[in-house]
């Protein structure tokens, strides 16, 4: 496995799966792996849908805290197991269709 090169202060975010189909009423887990060039203390993570519908879930992640306190909508659950966050969506409905983006900001 090749490890990506990150410049000082850089953060790389990888999401998976790239595409998934889910039956109505089912559930899905979306992964977001965070790789940082240097040790960090605090990240802000936001999950957004279709980049225009606002933030579905937001939290601040501490490097040493396994489970964050998050502000998520009722059917969403966020888990943090460094360096990976997982957003789980329960009881999927037709209007959940869309593109989901994990947005990460390194806070100083």
């Amino acid at each position: 496995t090749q490890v990506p090169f990150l410049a000082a202060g850089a953060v790389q975010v990888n999401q998976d799966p790239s595409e998934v189909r889910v039956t109505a009423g089912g559930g899905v887990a979306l992964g977001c792996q965070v790789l940082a060039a240097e040790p960090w203390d605090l990240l802000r993570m936001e999950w957004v849908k279709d980049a225009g519908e606002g933030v579905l879930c937001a939290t601040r992640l501490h490097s040493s805290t396994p489970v964050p306190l998050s502000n998520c909508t009722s059917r969403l659950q966020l888990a943090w197991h460094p360096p990976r966050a997982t957003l789980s969506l329960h009881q999927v409905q037709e209007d959940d269709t869309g593109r989901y983006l994990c947005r990460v900001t390194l806070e100083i």
Side-chain angles (χ1 to χ4, degrees), residues 27-30 47 73-79 86-90:
V28 65
L30 305 174
W47 282 88
T73 60
S74 61
R75 293 180 297 117
L76 294 173
Q77 180 180 6
L78 182 62
T86 304
L87 181 72
S88 299
L89 175 58
H90 306 285

Side-chain angles (χ1 to χ4, degrees), residues 22-23 25-29 89-92:
V22 181
T23 305
V28 65
L89 175 58
H90 306 285
Q91 299 173 350
V92 171

Side-chain angles (χ1 to χ4, degrees), residues 4-83:
F5 172 77
L6 298 175
V11 175
Q12 179 179 343
V13 179
N14 298 316
Q15 286 186 232
D16 64 87
S18 60
E19 185 174 325
V20 64
R21 295 183 187 271
V22 181
T23 305
V28 65
L30 305 174
C32 180
Q33 184 177 21
V34 179
L35 302 172
E38 298 173 354
W40 54 273
D41 290 323
L42 186 64
L43 290 177
R44 177 168 178 78
M45 177 176 283
E46 298 174 321
W47 282 88
V48 295
K49 180 182 171 203
D50 293 329
E53 293 192 16
V55 176
L56 297 173
C57 193
T59 191
R60 283 190 164 85
L61 303 173
H62 295 274
S63 59
S64 59
T65 305
V67 180
L69 297 174
S70 60
N71 178 16
C72 299
T73 60
S74 61
R75 293 180 297 117
L76 294 173
Q77 180 180 6
L78 182 62
W80 172 243
H81 302 284

Side-chain angles (χ1 to χ4, degrees), residues 88-103:
S88 299
L89 175 58
H90 306 285
Q91 299 173 350
V92 171
Q93 299 170 4
E94 205 169 305
D95 63 350
D96 291 323
T97 299
R99 294 176 188 255
Y100 290 75
L101 174 68
C102 173
R103 187 166 52 201

